[in-house]
Amino acid sequence: MPQANGKITAPVSVNDVRLCLGEISLDVKTLCMSKDKIKKWSKYKPVIIDSPMHVHPGNNDNWYKGDDGKCGLILPVGTPGANGTAIANLYKSNAWDYNPPGASDWGRLEDFVGYDHNAKPFIYTGIVKGEDKNINLQIQNSLTLVVHHQNIPGSLSISDFDDLGMDLNCKLVATLFRVDPLTTTNPQIVRSYTSEHTVGTAPSGAPYVTVSFDKTDLQAGDNYWILLYLIGTSAGSAVFPIPYDDENHFLVKVRLTDTNALSGTIININGGQGSSTNPIDSDEGEADIQIALRFVNNYGSAVTIGPGGRFNLRAELGSGFGNVELTGGIVTVPANTTQYQGTFTAPKLFRKAIEMLKSDITQIDTTIRITAKDTTGATQSWQALTPVQTIYFKR
């Protein structure tokens, strides 16, 4: 059967092509120019050849490469040592668009022999166009990006472009930008990473790069963009955009944060005081207040909490009544723990509040929350550990 399941075999007819593409016309030239219907990743499809027969200089079996050797696609090639702007411009130059025969070119029905409407890109990233990656420097400091290479019958392969220098000896490169390189003129590179393996030597045909981030990056800004491309490994090798579609894109946005993966709740204050019927006695603001906490540690390793540990704690009162860092011994909370408890002291927690109150006020309510600061964090800011809750205290 010449046309079945999206594949066309010889002998091919105009109607076979029309049905496979979902076109209306029965005109050969119109079908050959059907850019939006032809699957560009198919190895065999209409290409520009200056001949009524599909022949290729030196090797007629390679006719599918067309006269320019680009297999009917637009493939801009970057010069060796291309900078950030030039790399981004490869993609801005309609990279990997289908370039079918035009009105003044030959249209050959035989170009559809072997056409596969189910063809797929020979390299895929799994990155969805417009997708953001969130990296919390509290938990991870790197992002690994992989390109998977495969030879799919009926689809183009990387070896089909070896005349241009894009072949199995290419390596994957990831370049980091502080701005979107596709929408910014002359985007400056932060740094670049090159895969250890070539496409051909990588395990399972999947070279990868690991892009690392640190405190300095977050201090410079929280948004970054990573652009993927290929580079040859021989001397003076050119740079190539990777084949892509909306489900396997070449650009990913990274949002950096520095958010504690530690949370908690207040179990009790001073053994259970703090309600309207049992307010905390502040001793005119001089009392040291005991606060019992339950911790949730979402880190993959144990963390230390308390003065001198990884996390310092602070009690924050509402109404401008002040903040007090908690004292006490260090507690070590195991990895991935949800029920670990510890008790700390808030020295003279209500001193500022008492100083601010009118002398005739003997009891009042306010809010309290506990915040934590990761002394190893990128920003080392105080972040909420517990939810805000209401407490009552008296003079």
Side-chain angles (χ1 to χ4, degrees):
M1 184 179 293
Q3 187 278 133
N5 299 319
K7 297 181 179 181
I8 298 175
T9 56
V12 61
S13 72
V14 173
N15 196 50
D16 292 331
V17 176
R18 180 185 69 84
L19 292 173
C20 188
L21 299 184
E23 277 284 14
I24 299 175
S25 176
L26 288 172
D27 177 69
V28 171
K29 186 65 175 292
T30 299
L31 294 174
C32 288
M33 295 171 58
S34 186
K35 179 178 180 178
D36 294 335
K37 298 292 183 67
I38 294 173
K39 187 59 69 74
K40 63 183 178 181
W41 304 118
S42 177
K43 183 170 184 175
Y44 301 107
K45 59 186 178 294
V47 293
I48 298 175
I49 299 175
D50 189 18
S51 169
M53 303 295 292
H54 55 211
V55 295
H56 192 271
N59 187 346
N60 287 348
D61 290 337
N62 288 345
W63 67 265
Y64 63 89
K65 294 187 177 184
D67 284 344
D68 62 2
K70 296 182 179 181
C71 302
L73 304 176
I74 296 174
L75 179 54
V77 179
T79 58
N83 61 20
T85 300
I87 294 167
N89 283 343
L90 297 180
Y91 290 102
K92 294 178 184 179
S93 301
N94 300 318
W96 298 106
D97 274 4
Y98 180 35
N99 184 31
S104 61
D105 297 312
W106 291 97
R108 296 168 297 272
L109 184 63
E110 290 77 11
D111 283 12
F112 283 103
V113 175
Y115 173 77
D116 188 350
H117 203 62
N118 303 306
K120 300 180 182 300
F122 52 86
I123 283 181
Y124 62 95
T125 64
I127 298 171
V128 177
K129 183 178 180 180
E131 177 183 14
D132 291 356
K133 300 285 188 181
N134 295 311
I135 293 184
N136 181 359
L137 293 178
Q138 294 282 338
I139 301 174
Q140 67 181 106
N141 62 3
S142 64
L143 177 65
T144 297
L145 298 168
V146 184
V147 298
H148 299 269
H149 167 260
Q150 56 183 351
N151 288 313
I152 305 173
S155 300
L156 289 167
S157 70
I158 193 171
S159 297
D160 290 323
F161 300 90
D162 54 8
D163 293 343
L164 306 174
M166 188 174 73
D167 54 26
L168 293 172
N169 293 317
C170 285
K171 288 187 173 183
L172 175 67
V173 181
T175 293
L176 186 67
F177 297 88
R178 277 281 297 118
V179 295
D180 185 341
L182 298 185
T183 60
T184 306
T185 302
N186 194 29
Q188 298 300 305
I189 292 174
V190 178
R191 52 186 176 270
S192 292
Y193 301 82
T194 302
S195 63
E196 177 183 354
H197 298 284
T198 65
V199 175
T201 61
S204 303
Y208 65 89
V209 289
T210 298
V211 180
S212 300
F213 298 92
D214 58 26
K215 300 178 185 180
T216 303
D217 293 318
L218 184 54
Q219 290 162 0
D222 55 359
N223 291 331
Y224 288 83
W225 283 260
I226 302 174
L227 186 74
L228 297 175
Y229 56 98
L230 296 173
I231 187 170
T233 54
S234 59
S237 293
V239 175
F240 305 93
I242 63 172
Y244 67 93
D245 56 27
D246 286 352
E247 299 300 316
N248 296 283
H249 215 243
F250 57 88
L251 183 71
V252 60
K253 182 179 181 180
V254 177
R255 297 181 184 273
L256 297 184
T257 61
D258 178 33
T259 305
N260 294 344
L262 182 72
S263 61
T265 55
I266 297 175
I267 301 173
N268 65 66
I269 300 176
N270 263 19
Q273 293 178 295
S275 67
S276 58
T277 58
N278 187 22
I280 299 169
D281 185 351
S282 72
D283 190 20
E284 295 294 334
E286 296 303 306
D288 295 337
I289 308 303
Q290 303 299 305
I291 302 177
L293 300 167
R294 179 180 292 113
F295 298 104
V296 175
N297 176 16
N298 289 317
Y299 292 98
S301 59
V303 297
T304 54
I305 303 173
R310 174 176 175 177
F311 287 93
N312 291 339
L313 301 178
R314 185 169 76 177
E316 299 181 353
L317 298 177
S319 304
F321 287 161
N323 308 320
V324 175
E325 290 199 37
L326 304 189
T327 62
I330 295 176
V331 299
T332 301
V333 182
N336 303 311
T337 301
T338 60
Q339 296 294 325
Y340 200 89
Q341 298 181 15
T343 300
F344 299 86
T345 301
K348 300 176 175 50
L349 175 62
F350 298 103
R351 172 183 280 181
K352 184 175 181 181
I354 296 300
E355 291 174 349
M356 295 173 64
L357 293 178
K358 293 181 179 180
S359 59
D360 60 342
I361 297 178
T362 60
Q363 179 175 316
I364 193 173
D365 66 287
T366 188
T367 58
I368 185 173
R369 71 169 181 171
I370 307 301
T371 58
K373 179 173 70 173
D374 185 353
T375 60
T376 68
T379 59
Q380 297 194 19
S381 60
W382 291 99
Q383 299 179 20
L385 178 76
T386 70
V388 174
Q389 67 184 65
T390 301
I391 59 170
Y392 292 80
F393 66 96
K394 62 182 180 181
R395 286 185 177 274

